[in-house]
Amino acid sequence: MPRIPYPDISTLPEVMQKMLAGTPLNVVRIGANASPALFQAQGQLGWAIADPAVLDPRIREATILRVAYLSNSAYELHHHVPLAKVAGLTEAEIAAIGAGDFASLDPVLAAIGQFTDEVVRDLSPSDETLAALRAQVSDQVLVNLILTIGCYMSIARLIAVTGIEIDEMSLQHL
């Protein structure tokens, strides 16, 4: 049982009811407690992050997994471990991301892991970590990573504060 109740969908504005119609996800349902503008904006940000043109799926899922591990978010891991596998991450890579064992990852994933750790824990990465990531990805990808980290930190906190239940089924694709 969540700490904050799910909203009664029938009382929500029509635009929010339409957005909720196609999803059984508890995180989306609890998010409908937000104002319509924030609910829509969060949904649009989530869809933008999921676009492979924004971030390569392996990079996206490695980043989200690291945020989920750092945030102790069983809910995010429930959904994003399967998505990471679909995106092409191996069991060994997923385990290394979870353990913070970046030395065993390829240079791109290693740089992303270290960068994500420092952004989550310290707000800003060291100059060395930033330079290492910039050597691997474009500045556009780097900024997209920062926004993805922030989005999933926010979602992890929404999940933790509201105490929503893990969904019965996990996502298999975005």
Side-chain angles (χ1 to χ4, degrees), residues 30 32 35 44 93 95 148 160:
I30 202 71
S35 67
Q44 290 171 336
E93 289 170 325
T148 299

Side-chain angles (χ1 to χ4, degrees), residues 26-162:
N26 290 332
V27 71
V28 177
R29 290 176 50 219
I30 202 71
N33 278 310
S35 67
L38 281 176
F39 182 69
Q40 288 177 297
Q42 182 65 41
Q44 290 171 336
L45 179 58
W47 281 113
I49 290 168
D51 183 343
V54 171
L55 285 174
D56 173 90
R58 281 176 45 85
I59 290 172
R60 176 191 68 230
E61 292 305 321
T63 304
I64 294 169
L65 285 179
R66 193 63 195 145
V67 171
Y69 282 115
L70 291 168
S71 300
N72 296 315
S73 181
Y75 186 99
E76 286 182 329
L77 291 169
H78 174 72
H79 287 293
H80 286 278
V81 167
L83 291 173
K85 292 175 184 175
V86 169
L89 291 170
T90 67
E91 291 281 349
E93 289 170 325
I94 292 168
I97 291 164
D101 179 17
F102 307 134
S104 68
L105 298 171
D106 70 54
V108 173
L109 293 182
I112 287 168
Q114 186 62 42
F115 179 81
T116 302
D117 273 16
E118 292 181 26
V119 170
V120 171
R121 291 182 179 155
D122 306 327
L123 185 62
S124 182
S126 68
D127 290 343
E128 177 182 82
T129 297
L130 182 60
L133 183 59
R134 289 188 74 212
Q136 299 295 328
V137 301
S138 70
D139 287 343
Q140 182 179 53
V141 168
L142 187 141
V143 171
N144 290 349
L145 285 169
I146 296 165
L147 294 173
T148 299
I149 292 165
C151 176
Y152 278 86
M153 286 175 64
S154 175
I155 291 169
R157 279 127 187 95
L158 175 66
I159 293 163
V161 170
T162 61

